[in-house]
Amino acid sequence: KLAEPIQKACAQLPFGKCLCGRAAATQKIQFSDHIDERHEIRYEGIIPHGHYCVPILFAGRTLGVMNLYVKEGHRHDQREEDFLLAVADILAGILIRKNTQDKLKNAYEQLKQAQAQLIQSAKMASVGLLAAGVAHEINNPNFVISGEAEMLLKEKDKDKETKEAAKAIFEQAERISKITNRLLEFSRQKGAKG
């Protein structure tokens, strides 16, 4: 396990700084058999070591850096470097697939949400159409009832009881008219949102 100071210092290393940053910037393996002047990040009590810093590349982009510590004095070996480049290529493929899968998953979730919203909008539009249909079906006979009650109220030769009944019918027809108007308003709102 790496010492905590080095973990913190190397967690967000800028391109070009220290060996790992140089590997990221140049897109070439950086090798060191000891702690030299390229090791810009140091701390008290650092254990002597060397490095292979291997850039993880995909389509000309640096995705990250794989850092392999070696014993101080370790000799550079082309076979080791070739192996590490192969491992870095495999890691690049894994990272790209993971990133692509994450993007696809996110797009799928957004599509599901949009589909659910569309279904809800369609349902609400259907409710609005139903409300409009019901309102019109009620309004047609209610108009006749209201008209007949109004005519009875205007006739002078009708008795008091008939006029009171006509007045009650007319008032209830007006109430029904207000209810159907609210239904029509609701249907227009749902149709506009749908």
Side-chain angles (χ1 to χ4, degrees):
K1 182 177 177 182
L2 292 175
E4 191 153 329
I6 200 80
Q7 283 181 25
K8 284 183 181 177
C10 294
Q12 295 291 323
L13 191 64
F15 275 35
K17 185 170 183 175
C18 213
L19 282 174
C20 292
R22 282 184 176 82
T26 64
Q27 298 188 336
K28 292 184 175 21
I29 288 183
Q30 300 293 310
F31 173 78
S32 175
D33 65 352
H34 66 286
I35 298 173
D36 60 20
E37 70 282 349
R38 295 175 298 165
H39 281 80
E40 296 171 82
I41 297 177
R42 299 175 190 210
Y43 61 94
E44 189 69 36
I46 193 169
I47 297 172
H49 63 278
H51 283 280
Y52 276 108
C53 295
V54 186
I56 302 170
L57 308 172
F58 184 81
R61 281 182 29 230
T62 302
L63 303 178
V65 175
M66 181 174 62
N67 191 359
L68 180 70
Y69 284 80
V70 293
K71 288 183 180 180
E72 186 175 44
H74 184 87
R75 289 192 182 162
H76 178 265
D77 184 329
Q78 190 59 47
R79 288 178 306 164
E80 284 178 347
E81 191 170 303
D82 291 343
F83 174 76
L84 292 172
L85 285 171
V87 170
D89 284 345
I90 292 168
L91 284 174
I94 291 168
L95 290 171
I96 290 299
R97 275 192 303 282
K98 171 93 171 85
N99 188 33
T100 301
Q101 287 172 344
D102 289 348
K103 284 181 181 176
L104 285 173
K105 184 178 179 184
N106 188 31
Y108 177 72
E109 289 302 319
Q110 288 176 354
L111 182 62
K112 276 179 33 180
Q113 287 175 358
Q115 184 182 24
Q117 289 173 346
L118 185 60
I119 289 169
Q120 184 63 26
S121 292
K123 285 179 182 177
M124 293 311 291
S126 294
V127 167
L129 284 173
L130 179 64
V134 167
H136 285 297
E137 287 299 316
I138 292 172
N139 265 345
N140 291 335
N142 191 52
F143 181 73
V144 172
I145 294 168
S146 174
E148 291 296 321
E150 191 173 16
M151 282 176 45
L152 283 172
L153 283 171
K154 288 181 180 178
E155 287 185 17
K156 296 185 189 289
D157 62 343
K158 295 295 176 192
D159 61 83
K160 184 179 176 186
E161 207 173 275
T162 303
K163 286 202 174 215
E164 284 179 13
K167 183 180 178 192
I169 292 170
F170 183 78
E171 287 173 355
Q172 291 305 311
E174 286 293 305
R175 183 172 159 267
I176 290 170
S177 182
K178 288 177 184 175
I179 292 169
T180 56
N181 284 337
R182 285 196 296 261
L183 273 175
L184 286 169
E185 181 60 32
F186 170 81
S187 73
R188 283 191 283 274
Q189 290 172 2
K190 295 309 166 192
K193 290 178 184 175

